[in-house]
Amino acid sequence: MAEIVHLADRTPQVSAEDLLAGFHPSYRFGEVSFDTYIPDPSHPSQAEAVHRLRDFAASIKGRGGAGGSNNSGGGLFGFLKGGKSGKPGKNGKGTTSATGVYLDGGFGVGKTHLLASTWHAAPGPKAFGTFVEYTNLVGALSFRKTVDVLKDYTLVCIDEFELDDPGDTVLMSRLMRELADAGVKLVATSNTLPGSLGDGRFAAQDFKREIQVLAEQFDVVRVDGEDYRHRGLTAAPAPLEDGQLQAVRAERFPEAGVVSEDDFADLTANLSRVHPSRYRKLVEDVDVMVLHNVQTISEQAMALRFVVLADRLYDKDVPVIASGVPFDRLFTEEMMSGGYMKKYFRTVSRMTALVREGQMGETGL
């Protein structure tokens, strides 16, 4: 019989060591590779992205060898600017020779799969985490200690690179500049071209320079396509009647070990008390989520916290069984057209995929 737990009652504690130990691809992407990525033939940029990243990963040397020091140009700008947009770089083969690669594209085109494949293909030591996880690491270790730890890595992968406030803009710009100067290769994903990061978030001209510096550190590789999580699948299922949830869970997942069961209002109230850096710990043992009375979120701060929770659930591939409003109505119309719309669309996409898995047995990966 499944153990029923309530996330609303949990107050997980996470040490700096725990945070650092988690900088690797999640369960969902734990065994992916370039070979398991299936490019959509109607979008040639996907196959091109695989080719570019294979070459980039192959060019990375272990820190004990030639890759352990800066390139001959010296520092950050010595690495740039050979392979922009697929044009021949310094190696003359159309592959990137810059400090990093920036995978730009809509949600659900497989950017995280490609990022994780690069991490798996490169020699270590190496780090893989979300933008939020890196900022949390700096908060736990201090900026200088984070640089000291990561500067000895061959590769740092940053998933879902979005700049939500001016402080994060400066922080990540400094961090990447120092890592690049130390010879660390960088790969990042985002739904926004690096020169447009921060658009719609804040208009402070003082930070425009910082955003442009971020753009200069990467060769942009565009990945076009439709959301693979919904490619060829039926529309998301309607929410279930509230009294059906546990019966459906028992029928669909009779072998589940740990099932979380919460009222949506209680869960979101606890999310406001638990720091987002602890959400991975919050759901680490959960096999299935049962969620009662899902409601539209109207507060921006809570919406952004739920974005982080959704990413942790998706990373762990936790099926969701829910009542209330469907997840395409999780955020207000104003939110879905505002400055954070790309985050919210990603969350709707991911939660829809998890509900489809929980209630219909369909998976998007």
Side-chain angles (χ1 to χ4, degrees), residues 126-336:
K126 51 198 173 181
F128 181 105
T130 65
F131 177 84
V132 171
E133 287 172 324
Y134 283 104
T135 58
N136 289 339
L137 184 65
V138 172
L141 295 182
S142 81
F143 179 84
R144 181 47 48 196
K145 179 62 175 176
T146 300
V147 172
D148 288 343
V149 170
L150 296 180
K151 72 180 182 181
D152 291 327
Y153 283 31
T154 61
L155 174 69
V156 167
C157 296
I158 308 167
D159 200 18
E160 301 297 349
F161 202 123
E162 292 284 351
L163 298 177
D164 295 335
D165 62 60
D168 285 347
T169 303
V170 175
L171 177 71
M172 290 304 291
S173 178
R174 287 182 57 209
L175 179 62
M176 289 193 304
R177 284 202 304 270
E178 295 212 22
L179 294 179
D181 285 343
V184 180
K185 295 293 186 177
L186 307 167
V187 184
T189 74
S190 179
N191 300 323
T192 305
L193 285 166
S196 301
L197 287 171
D199 287 357
R201 307 286 208 284
F202 54 91
Q205 293 300 311
D206 291 344
F207 294 97
K208 184 176 180 180
R209 180 189 71 259
E210 297 293 341
I211 295 173
Q212 294 306 316
V213 168
L214 294 182
E216 289 179 349
Q217 296 184 32
F218 295 94
D219 278 352
V220 175
V221 176
R222 180 74 187 178
V223 186
D224 298 304
E226 61 179 304
D227 188 340
Y228 78 89
R229 288 182 282 269
H230 310 305
R231 191 185 301 162
L233 298 177
T234 58
L240 300 174
E241 293 294 326
D242 197 62
Q244 295 180 282
L245 299 189
Q246 277 294 0
V248 171
R249 191 278 307 166
E251 178 183 355
R252 291 205 45 77
F253 303 98
E255 305 299 322
V258 177
V259 175
S260 71
E261 182 175 18
D262 291 276
D263 185 84
F264 186 80
D266 294 337
L267 174 62
T268 53
N270 197 35
L271 294 183
S272 69
R273 296 187 291 266
V274 177
H275 192 274
S277 66
R278 301 175 182 177
Y279 290 0
R280 189 187 301 278
K281 185 79 170 179
L282 182 72
V283 302
E284 69 174 358
D285 61 342
V286 175
D287 298 312
V288 181
M289 170 179 274
V290 175
L291 202 51
H292 296 271
N293 305 311
V294 175
Q295 303 168 18
T296 300
I297 299 173
S298 58
E299 285 187 357
Q300 193 89 268
M302 179 52 62
L304 292 171
R305 284 176 177 264
F306 198 90
V307 166
V308 178
L309 177 68
D311 286 344
R312 300 292 80 79
L313 293 171
Y314 185 77
D315 286 346
K316 197 174 179 297
D317 196 15
V318 177
V320 175
I321 299 170
S323 66
V325 302
F327 279 99
D328 59 4
R329 289 168 50 196
L330 181 62
F331 306 112
T332 66
E333 291 185 9
E334 181 181 11
M335 289 177 179
M336 295 297 286

Side-chain angles (χ1 to χ4, degrees), residues 11-28:
T11 54
Q13 301 299 313
V14 180
S15 68
E17 291 74 18
D18 291 335
L19 285 175
L20 190 59
F23 275 80
H24 56 76
S26 66
Y27 165 81
R28 179 179 287 271

Side-chain angles (χ1 to χ4, degrees), residues 80-151:
L80 309 178
K81 232 8 219 169
K84 193 85 165 181
S85 301
K87 296 178 182 179
K90 293 178 182 178
N91 56 17
K93 296 180 181 180
T95 58
T96 182
S97 58
T99 297
V101 174
Y102 206 104
L103 291 175
D104 177 74
F107 42 85
V109 296
K111 300 186 303 297
T112 301
H113 186 140
L114 291 169
L115 185 68
S117 298
T118 306
W119 186 90
H120 286 300
K126 51 198 173 181
F128 181 105
T130 65
F131 177 84
V132 171
E133 287 172 324
Y134 283 104
T135 58
N136 289 339
L137 184 65
V138 172
L141 295 182
S142 81
F143 179 84
R144 181 47 48 196
K145 179 62 175 176
T146 300
V147 172
D148 288 343
V149 170
L150 296 180
K151 72 180 182 181

